[in-house]
Amino acid sequence: RRLSLVDGLLEGEAAADDEDGKVAITVIGGGYSGVELALNLVDRFAGSEREVEVNLVHRGERVLEYATDYNRRVGTERLEKAGVNVLTGTSVEEVLPGRKDGGDHPLDNYRCSLRLSTKGEDGAVESELDTTLLLWTAGSTPTAPENRGIRNSVLPRDSMGRILTGPTLSVPDHPEVFAIGDCGRVTGRRRYPATAQVAMQMATCAGWNVCATLSSSDDDNDGGGGGTPPPRLLPFNFVSLGEMMTLGSDDA
């Protein structure tokens, strides 16, 4: 619906309300979703008579940081070629109400100003970015230095609040607890991409290990009498099935 409002603004007489006639759309998050969205926005508004600026704000040092080297390189080149204004090492500190143009276009309700903080050699540099429409793909869970609320538990967590597990996806000292997908992280391994294929493979492994844990408990309760030994817990090993990104309406 919001993009339809942008279509209406570009096609209507409201264009004269802007001092520079520019429409700025800002995407927050430089992962798969953010890069795909930014490039598709460029394609969507390529034929407009007005200038449409697409900004991509990412707090990491590079976009697509968990993609393969090839996909990261191609995605970065495509962003540059499309003219997307990429701001890396930049965090959104605050979203403030934007400037009203005095018109009655519905899109005026979405205008905002972003207070940004960009990492620099001499410390953080603050700036502001006015945007006609803000699109958020970076998630909604703030980073906290300590566990609070639902995070306030005995389970070990990393700085992003993910539950730390061993290779079998169970939590050390709590073998009855398993964590998979975005909420878990295997200690001592490189962070896995936050994609469906990782979560689905984790679910298969965790399901087997839950069954093995229950079987072992039943065997202990029966006195361990000489039957078939319970299945052993298996370590999780991710097998990549490949990646695919849309890099515009006719490119992937």
Side-chain angles (χ1 to χ4, degrees), residues 6 15 46 49 54 59 87 98 104-105 112 128 133 162 169 173 190 224 227 237:
V6 176
E49 295 183 359
V54 177
R59 69 178 179 181
L87 304 173
D104 57 357
H105 195 278
C112 60
E128 289 192 5
L133 181 63
R162 294 181 290 262
L169 306 181
D173 299 327
R190 181 176 179 271
N237 291 296

Side-chain angles (χ1 to χ4, degrees), residues 196-198 200-201 238-244:
Q197 63 170 311
V198 174
M200 293 173 69
Q201 292 183 36
F238 174 57
V239 178
S240 176
L241 303 179
E243 298 177 345
M244 179 175 177

Side-chain angles (χ1 to χ4, degrees), residues 130-157:
D130 293 327
T131 186
T132 312
L133 181 63
L134 175 65
L135 300 173
W136 197 280
T137 70
S140 58
T141 303
T143 302
E146 59 187 32
N147 293 336
R148 298 173 181 172
I150 195 171
R151 296 181 176 182
N152 184 22
S153 71
V154 297
L155 302 179
R157 298 177 184 268

Side-chain angles (χ1 to χ4, degrees), residues 153-157 163-166 168-180 183-184 206 209-210 213-214 233:
S153 71
V154 297
L155 302 179
R157 298 177 184 268
I163 299 172
L164 296 175
T165 74
T168 61
L169 306 181
S170 63
V171 179
D173 299 327
H174 296 276
E176 75 284 1
V177 178
F178 292 81
I180 65 173
C183 73
N209 288 340
V210 167
T213 301
L214 295 175
L233 273 65

Side-chain angles (χ1 to χ4, degrees), residues 4-21:
S4 297
L5 293 177
V6 176
D7 290 331
L9 180 64
L10 295 175
E11 296 171 358
E13 297 179 356
D17 293 336
D18 285 338
E19 295 179 0
D20 55 5

Side-chain angles (χ1 to χ4, degrees), residues 177-197:
V177 178
F178 292 81
I180 65 173
D182 295 356
C183 73
R185 181 172 184 179
V186 181
T187 303
R189 296 188 185 179
R190 181 176 179 271
R191 178 185 169 188
Y192 295 115
T195 58
Q197 63 170 311

